[in-house]
Every structure is written in C-alpha cells, then in structure tokens.
Amino acid sequence: MKKVAICGPSGVGKGYISNIISSTYGFPVLDTDQTVHDMYENDGELIKKLALLFGDDVVKEGKIHRPTLRNIVFKDRRSLELLNLTVHKEVRRYIFDWFKKMASMGHTAVFVDIPQIIESGMTKDFDLIIGVESERSTRIKRIIKRDGVSLDDAEKRINNQLSAEEYKKVCHYTINNDGEDVFNALRKIFEEVNLIEKTETE
C-alpha cells in the first residue's frame, strides 16, 4: 500500500486538493487537522496536558477551545513548538493505526493531509509527498475567511509557520493552487507514480 502525504502551510488549500483526491479518484484521505480537533474534544488526557501547559483558559465546557489556544500558539513560535511536541505523538499513533486499518481493507494507496509533516518528523513514513503552495496574499484571504480572524492574526500565523521553500525540500512534487489546473496536475503525478493508468493521447 502506497502512503502519500499532502502537506503545506496554512491557507494553501490542502483541503481542496484532498477533496479532489477522494471525490475524483476514490482514494481514502485522512485529515489530521480534523483528527486533532476530535482529540481536543474527546481525549481527556490530552486536554489535561494542554491545560497545564497553556492555562485553564484553553478549556471550556471540558473541551479545548481552539480559538483561545490558537491565539496563544500562533503569536509565539516557542508555544507553537511546545504544542506540536505534545500533540504530534498522539497524531502519529493515530495515523499508523489508520494505515493498518486501510491495509486490512485492501486499499492500494492512502493519503494523509498532514500540514506539519516536517515538525512531526514523519517525512520518512511516506512513500510520496505532495506539497501545495499558494501566494501569501491568497493564503491570508483564505485564513481570514475560513477562521474569521483578523489580518494581523492571519499574518502572525503565517510568520510562525515553515516557509514554502522548507516544504519544497521534502516534497517529491509541488502543486500551485493559485489558478493552476490542479485536476490535471494531480492526474499527471498519479500517472507518473502509477497510481492510475496513463491517459491515452492521440
């Protein structure tokens, strides 16, 4: 079973690419952001750890209040690194359990939308890494629209994340999500790595 990662910093449109992969090609896609969100609501031990690290204000009604936590970590790189260190171990375990489940179901390829593939140390755990990139201005607009944050907060979030150049160093392919024909770009990649049959050309 081929394990493929979709990665890139906030606001590049990884979710859009992942939706194409699942809806057009039928490959299973694991959204690690959603996995973390589920843990913030249901993993009691993780919730306790984060409250100790970042204060009781990050917990509301027994769950991690993501906007409060986000405001803390995206304004301070050291806080973000501490959060990553705490959460990555749990996410890594979940991913490997999911790999086993997908293999037992007979899937030939699976995809993981994993923004922090570098920080989590998981670059060697995938057979193929596809990066997604986008212009800074476009990313800012997407983050503001998606998360309802201010321009200043969106810029701070981007500034506290790895650059596009750092992602490119670990990627086998990179897709530009600023108007490029991403459907065609994905098809070409999938043909090259034999995930799908090559399209016949005249």
Side-chain angles (χ1 to χ4, degrees), residues 25 27 186-201:
Y25 296 100
F27 292 119
L186 280 171
R187 178 184 59 78
K188 287 182 177 179
I189 293 171
F190 290 174
E191 287 179 352
E192 284 188 24
V193 299
N194 297 316
L195 284 178
I196 62 173
E197 292 185 3
K198 287 190 167 85
T199 304
E200 293 293 334
T201 57

Short mmCIF file of all heavy atoms in Angstrom, two decimals, residues 25 27 186-201:
data_model
loop_
_atom_site.label_atom_id
_atom_site.label_comp_id
_atom_site.label_asym_id
_atom_site.label_seq_id
_atom_site.Cartn_x
_atom_site.Cartn_y
_atom_site.Cartn_z
N TYR A 25 -10.88 10.39 -7.45
CA TYR A 25 -10.13 9.14 -7.59
C TYR A 25 -10.52 8.07 -6.58
O TYR A 25 -10.14 6.91 -6.73
CB TYR A 25 -8.63 9.43 -7.48
CG TYR A 25 -8.13 10.30 -8.60
CD1 TYR A 25 -7.92 11.66 -8.42
CD2 TYR A 25 -7.90 9.77 -9.88
CE1 TYR A 25 -7.47 12.48 -9.45
CE2 TYR A 25 -7.45 10.58 -10.92
CZ TYR A 25 -7.25 11.93 -10.69
OH TYR A 25 -6.82 12.72 -11.73
N PHE A 27 -9.61 7.61 -3.50
CA PHE A 27 -8.61 7.19 -2.51
C PHE A 27 -9.02 7.67 -1.11
O PHE A 27 -9.53 8.79 -0.96
CB PHE A 27 -7.23 7.75 -2.85
CG PHE A 27 -6.62 7.20 -4.10
CD1 PHE A 27 -6.30 8.03 -5.17
CD2 PHE A 27 -6.33 5.84 -4.20
CE1 PHE A 27 -5.72 7.52 -6.32
CE2 PHE A 27 -5.76 5.32 -5.36
CZ PHE A 27 -5.46 6.16 -6.43
N LEU A 186 -2.68 16.88 -10.66
CA LEU A 186 -2.80 15.64 -9.88
C LEU A 186 -2.78 14.43 -10.80
O LEU A 186 -2.12 13.42 -10.50
CB LEU A 186 -4.08 15.65 -9.06
CG LEU A 186 -4.06 16.44 -7.75
CD1 LEU A 186 -5.46 16.54 -7.17
CD2 LEU A 186 -3.12 15.80 -6.74
N ARG A 187 -3.51 14.51 -11.91
CA ARG A 187 -3.56 13.38 -12.83
C ARG A 187 -2.17 13.01 -13.33
O ARG A 187 -1.80 11.83 -13.36
CB ARG A 187 -4.49 13.70 -14.01
CG ARG A 187 -4.56 12.59 -15.05
CD ARG A 187 -5.41 12.99 -16.25
NE ARG A 187 -4.90 14.18 -16.91
CZ ARG A 187 -3.86 14.17 -17.74
NH1 ARG A 187 -3.19 13.04 -17.99
NH2 ARG A 187 -3.45 15.30 -18.32
N LYS A 188 -1.38 14.03 -13.69
CA LYS A 188 -0.03 13.77 -14.19
C LYS A 188 0.84 13.11 -13.13
O LYS A 188 1.61 12.18 -13.43
CB LYS A 188 0.60 15.08 -14.66
CG LYS A 188 0.04 15.62 -15.96
CD LYS A 188 0.74 16.90 -16.38
CE LYS A 188 0.22 17.41 -17.72
NZ LYS A 188 0.88 18.67 -18.13
N ILE A 189 0.72 13.60 -11.89
CA ILE A 189 1.51 13.00 -10.80
C ILE A 189 1.09 11.54 -10.59
O ILE A 189 1.94 10.65 -10.49
CB ILE A 189 1.32 13.79 -9.50
CG1 ILE A 189 1.94 15.19 -9.62
CG2 ILE A 189 1.93 13.04 -8.31
CD1 ILE A 189 1.61 16.11 -8.47
N PHE A 190 -0.19 11.31 -10.54
CA PHE A 190 -0.70 9.96 -10.28
C PHE A 190 -0.31 8.99 -11.39
O PHE A 190 -0.03 7.82 -11.14
CB PHE A 190 -2.22 9.97 -10.12
CG PHE A 190 -2.69 10.64 -8.85
CD1 PHE A 190 -4.04 10.84 -8.62
CD2 PHE A 190 -1.79 11.07 -7.90
CE1 PHE A 190 -4.48 11.45 -7.45
CE2 PHE A 190 -2.21 11.68 -6.72
CZ PHE A 190 -3.57 11.87 -6.50
N GLU A 191 -0.26 9.49 -12.63
CA GLU A 191 0.18 8.65 -13.74
C GLU A 191 1.67 8.33 -13.60
O GLU A 191 2.08 7.18 -13.82
CB GLU A 191 -0.09 9.35 -15.07
CG GLU A 191 -1.56 9.39 -15.45
CD GLU A 191 -1.80 10.11 -16.77
OE1 GLU A 191 -0.84 10.72 -17.30
OE2 GLU A 191 -2.94 10.07 -17.27
N GLU A 192 2.46 9.31 -13.25
CA GLU A 192 3.91 9.12 -13.15
C GLU A 192 4.28 8.10 -12.07
O GLU A 192 5.25 7.36 -12.23
CB GLU A 192 4.60 10.45 -12.85
CG GLU A 192 4.72 11.36 -14.05
CD GLU A 192 5.58 12.58 -13.76
OE1 GLU A 192 6.43 12.51 -12.86
OE2 GLU A 192 5.40 13.61 -14.45
N VAL A 193 3.52 8.09 -10.98
CA VAL A 193 3.85 7.17 -9.87
C VAL A 193 2.98 5.92 -9.91
O VAL A 193 2.96 5.13 -8.96
CB VAL A 193 3.70 7.88 -8.51
CG1 VAL A 193 4.66 9.05 -8.42
CG2 VAL A 193 2.27 8.33 -8.27
N ASN A 194 2.26 5.74 -11.04
CA ASN A 194 1.47 4.52 -11.28
C ASN A 194 0.33 4.32 -10.29
O ASN A 194 -0.01 3.17 -9.95
CB ASN A 194 2.39 3.29 -11.29
CG ASN A 194 3.40 3.34 -12.41
OD1 ASN A 194 3.08 3.68 -13.55
ND2 ASN A 194 4.65 3.02 -12.09
N LEU A 195 -0.25 5.41 -9.85
CA LEU A 195 -1.45 5.28 -9.01
C LEU A 195 -2.70 5.10 -9.87
O LEU A 195 -3.70 4.53 -9.43
CB LEU A 195 -1.62 6.51 -8.12
CG LEU A 195 -0.70 6.60 -6.91
CD1 LEU A 195 -0.95 7.90 -6.15
CD2 LEU A 195 -0.90 5.41 -5.98
N ILE A 196 -2.64 5.62 -11.09
CA ILE A 196 -3.71 5.44 -12.05
C ILE A 196 -3.09 5.10 -13.40
O ILE A 196 -1.90 5.32 -13.63
CB ILE A 196 -4.61 6.70 -12.19
CG1 ILE A 196 -3.78 7.88 -12.71
CG2 ILE A 196 -5.29 7.02 -10.87
CD1 ILE A 196 -4.63 9.11 -13.03
N GLU A 197 -3.91 4.57 -14.31
CA GLU A 197 -3.40 4.26 -15.65
C GLU A 197 -3.21 5.54 -16.44
O GLU A 197 -3.96 6.51 -16.28
CB GLU A 197 -4.39 3.34 -16.37
CG GLU A 197 -4.47 1.95 -15.76
CD GLU A 197 -5.36 1.03 -16.57
OE1 GLU A 197 -5.87 1.47 -17.63
OE2 GLU A 197 -5.57 -0.11 -16.14
N LYS A 198 -2.21 5.55 -17.29
CA LYS A 198 -1.95 6.71 -18.12
C LYS A 198 -3.07 6.96 -19.11
O LYS A 198 -3.63 6.03 -19.65
CB LYS A 198 -0.61 6.55 -18.88
CG LYS A 198 0.60 6.69 -17.99
CD LYS A 198 1.85 6.76 -18.85
CE LYS A 198 3.03 7.22 -18.02
NZ LYS A 198 3.70 6.21 -17.29
N THR A 199 -3.40 8.24 -19.28
CA THR A 199 -4.43 8.63 -20.24
C THR A 199 -3.90 8.49 -21.66
O THR A 199 -2.78 8.95 -21.95
CB THR A 199 -4.87 10.09 -20.00
OG1 THR A 199 -5.31 10.23 -18.64
CG2 THR A 199 -5.99 10.48 -20.94
N GLU A 200 -4.68 7.87 -22.49
CA GLU A 200 -4.27 7.71 -23.90
C GLU A 200 -4.31 9.06 -24.60
O GLU A 200 -5.28 9.82 -24.47
CB GLU A 200 -5.19 6.72 -24.62
CG GLU A 200 -5.07 5.30 -24.10
CD GLU A 200 -3.72 4.68 -24.39
OE1 GLU A 200 -3.09 5.10 -25.38
OE2 GLU A 200 -3.32 3.79 -23.65
N THR A 201 -3.26 9.39 -25.32
CA THR A 201 -3.22 10.64 -26.10
C THR A 201 -3.15 10.33 -27.57
O THR A 201 -2.60 9.32 -28.00
CB THR A 201 -2.00 11.48 -25.71
OG1 THR A 201 -0.81 10.72 -25.91
CG2 THR A 201 -2.09 11.92 -24.26
#
